[in-house]
Amino acid sequence: MVDRSDDGVFDWFKSFKDIEDYFGTLISDKSASILMLGCGNSTLSEEMYEAGYTNIVNIDYSAVVIEKMKLRNEDRPLMRWLEMDVRNLVFDDASFDVAIDKGTMDAMLAVKGDVWNPPKSAVDDCNREVDEVIRVLKDRGVFLYLTFGQPHFRKKYLLREKTSLDILTLGETFHYFLYVLRREV
């Protein structure tokens, strides 16, 4: 058994407990192939695994984080941990049923400047991530993006041909948004 008592994990936004019911509805097949984009040192994958979603591939651009999380989760043999950039996914087309971004796009947008008009490099990074996600999703696959970013700031990065977008508002006083982008056939 792996000792997880002081591993310095950190979760942005909502915990899995807060979104588990939404995920249960949106990812009804617990054997679905799931790509966790920019996993960082979040416990989301671990908690999903414990809830029965065991086919999870976690990626992050930080080799240090990936190695740490591999060790932390060595008793979860079905989960994979790969060093990879969300803007350049090295998977075949139509490889995943689900892709999840819990703050990765937000990190790319956390640049100096005007939130209404972010730098071209940040816009390009977000568009590349979404283009890559759509490419690796299977037909009718779903991209779940959890953020505090309001629709008038985030929707423009998600809208694509042959997709549909739903936006769920979570929270009572401080709102989070769960964007549900589905790849159509």
Side-chain angles (χ1 to χ4, degrees):
M1 186 59 139
V2 176
D3 176 18
R4 295 185 179 89
S5 57
D6 185 25
D7 281 345
V9 295
F10 184 79
D11 269 298
W12 291 100
F13 311 130
K14 298 284 190 181
S15 71
F16 179 64
K17 180 182 168 200
D18 295 327
I19 57 177
E20 185 172 9
D21 290 342
Y22 294 100
F23 277 26
T25 301
L26 296 166
I27 315 171
S28 58
D29 179 4
K30 290 196 174 184
S31 67
S33 54
I34 299 171
L35 176 61
M36 192 68 65
L37 301 155
C39 61
N41 58 353
S42 167
T43 60
L44 179 61
S45 292
E46 296 171 6
E47 292 168 347
M48 288 181 70
Y49 191 97
E50 295 308 317
Y53 300 97
T54 56
N55 189 5
I56 302 173
V57 176
N58 299 278
I59 66 166
D60 199 283
Y61 73 97
S62 170
V64 172
V65 165
I66 290 297
E67 282 308 308
K68 179 180 179 181
M69 295 304 282
K70 264 187 205 178
L71 289 172
R72 178 180 163 86
N73 289 283
E74 64 189 10
D75 59 344
R76 294 182 176 100
L78 301 177
M79 259 201 300
R80 293 178 29 209
W81 301 88
L82 303 170
E83 180 185 352
M84 194 177 305
D85 188 327
V86 299
R87 299 164 298 180
N88 186 28
L89 300 175
V90 294
F91 302 110
D92 291 338
D93 294 358
S95 295
F96 294 94
D97 298 303
V98 179
I100 299 172
D101 177 326
K102 186 177 172 233
T104 300
M105 190 181 301
D106 297 289
M108 290 191 293
L109 286 168
V111 293
K112 231 179 198 180
D114 180 1
V115 295
W116 292 97
N117 189 24
K120 183 179 182 325
S121 61
V123 171
D124 290 347
D125 287 345
C126 293
N127 284 324
R128 280 201 312 266
E129 175 190 2
V130 174
D131 289 343
E132 281 292 276
V133 167
I134 291 169
R135 182 184 65 76
V136 301
L137 281 177
K138 296 175 182 175
D139 288 340
R140 294 189 176 82
V142 64
F143 176 32
L144 303 175
Y145 170 40
L146 182 64
T147 176
F148 62 82
Q150 298 169 343
H152 54 272
F153 291 118
R154 297 297 193 264
K155 206 170 147 179
K156 62 186 170 188
Y157 303 115
L158 299 168
L159 296 174
R160 297 289 191 283
E161 285 186 27
K162 298 184 181 178
T163 65
S164 63
L165 179 64
D166 294 310
I167 305 168
L168 306 174
T169 303
L170 315 177
E172 309 254 336
T173 54
F174 186 83
H175 293 126
Y176 292 88
F177 301 91
L178 182 60
Y179 295 86
V180 181
L181 184 70
R182 287 186 175 82
R183 181 177 174 185
E184 305 296 333
V185 179

